[in-house]
Amino acid sequence: DTAVSQTPKYLVTQMGNDKSIKCEQNLGHDTMYWYKQDSKKFLKIMFSYNNKELIINETVPNRFSPKSPDKAHLNLHINSLELGDSAVYFCASGRPGEKNTEAFFGQGTRLTVV
Amino acid sequence: AQSVTQPDIHITVSEGASLELRCNYSYGATPYLFWYVQSPGQGLQLLLKYFSGDTLVQGIKGFEAEFKRSQSSFNLRKPSVHWSDAAEYFCAVGARGQNFVFGPGTRLSVLP
C-alpha cells in the first residue's frame, strides 16, 4: 500500500477556476504537509497540520486553503487559480522532531494553469 | 530559524567516479538531518538520516553521509556513481517541534 497518496497526478485547468488536490496517508502520522516545488525545483513549505490545527502558513496567498477532514487526510483547495500557481505540489506526512521519523512524500501533483 | 544551503546547483560526474554533494545547515542546536533524492517526475525518497550517535551514516543505494558539527555540514558521498543515480538531491533539516526545511537541491548528471 502506498504510504502517502495524492490525486490527481496531473491537473490542467484554466485561470480563475477552483480546484482541489487530495492527500491521504496510512502511516498514522499526526502531522501532514503541503509543499510547492517551482520550476527551479525549490521546495517551499506551504502548510502543516497537526491534529487538525494549522501550525504554519508560509506567506501563502489566502486563495490556498488546506482542509483536513481527519488525521489521515489533508486536502489542498485553490481558488481563482493564477498562472503563477503552476507548479508541482507535494503532500507529506511525519512526526517532526521525533526520533527516527522523517517526512514521507507523495508522488506529487503537477498543476498547470493555462 | 533553520536554514539549509547546497552550494552546488548542478554537478556532472562520469559513471564509476566518486561523488560528494555538499550541504550546510544553520541551526542553534543539534538538528536532525536528511538527504532525499528525486528522480525525474517522481516524489522524494529518503536516502539517509542522522539524529544522533555515529556521525557517519549509511543509507540506501550505496550512499553515505557524514555529520560534522564543527563545519555545520552533512555531505553526501558515494564511492562509485551509477547512471541511475542521475537525479535531484535535497538536503533537509528538522528539529524537535519544528518542521522540515529543505535546501535548494543539487542536480546530478552522470556521463556514460
Side-chain angles (χ1 to χ4, degrees), chain A residues 2-7 22-26 32 91 105-107:
Chain A
T2 303
V4 181
S5 60
Q6 54 183 110
T7 55
K22 295 184 177 180
C23 179
E24 176 181 7
Q25 56 100 1
N26 61 6
M32 295 183 71
C91 178
F105 283 81
Q107 290 301 298

Side-chain angles (χ1 to χ4, degrees), chain B residues 40-94:
Chain B
Q42 300 296 313
L44 281 81
Q45 180 184 22
L46 182 74
L47 284 175
L48 45 78
K49 58 190 177 185
Y50 171 80
F51 284 82
S52 64
D54 192 346
T55 56
L56 183 63
V57 293
Q58 302 297 321
I60 62 171
K61 303 184 179 184
F63 286 92
E64 66 177 27
E66 186 171 12
F67 170 58
K68 293 185 177 180
R69 184 190 303 275
S70 60
Q71 298 177 19
S72 298
S73 68
F74 189 57
N75 294 347
L76 181 71
R77 300 193 294 251
K78 186 170 185 178
S80 178
V81 171
H82 188 263
W83 64 266
S84 61
D85 294 325
E88 193 86 19
Y89 290 81
F90 294 92
C91 182
V93 61

Side-chain angles (χ1 to χ4, degrees), chain A residues 6-26:
Chain A
Q6 54 183 110
T7 55
K9 188 171 183 178
Y10 300 97
L11 181 57
V12 181
T13 186
Q14 291 185 327
M15 287 175 56
N17 284 350
D18 302 338
K19 291 293 179 184
S20 295
I21 305 172
K22 295 184 177 180
C23 179
E24 176 181 7
Q25 56 100 1
N26 61 6

Side-chain angles (χ1 to χ4, degrees), chain A residues 9 31 33 35 37 40-43 45 48 55-56 90 94-107, chain B residues 32 34 36 38 40-44 46 49 51-52 88 90 94-105:
Chain A
K9 188 171 183 178
T31 303
Y33 311 86
Y35 285 85
Q37 187 175 45
K40 295 184 178 180
K41 300 291 186 180
F42 187 72
L43 275 163
I45 189 168
S48 67
I55 57 176
I56 284 184
F90 286 99
R95 294 195 184 99
E98 287 195 23
K99 191 174 182 179
N100 295 324
T101 299
E102 62 274 18
F104 290 80
F105 283 81
Q107 290 301 298
Chain B
Y32 303 148
F34 311 86
Y36 285 85
Q38 183 181 25
Q42 300 296 313
L44 281 81
L46 182 74
K49 58 190 177 185
F51 284 82
S52 64
E88 193 86 19
F90 294 92
R96 181 169 296 282
Q98 303 294 319
N99 290 305
F100 304 98
V101 174
F102 284 84

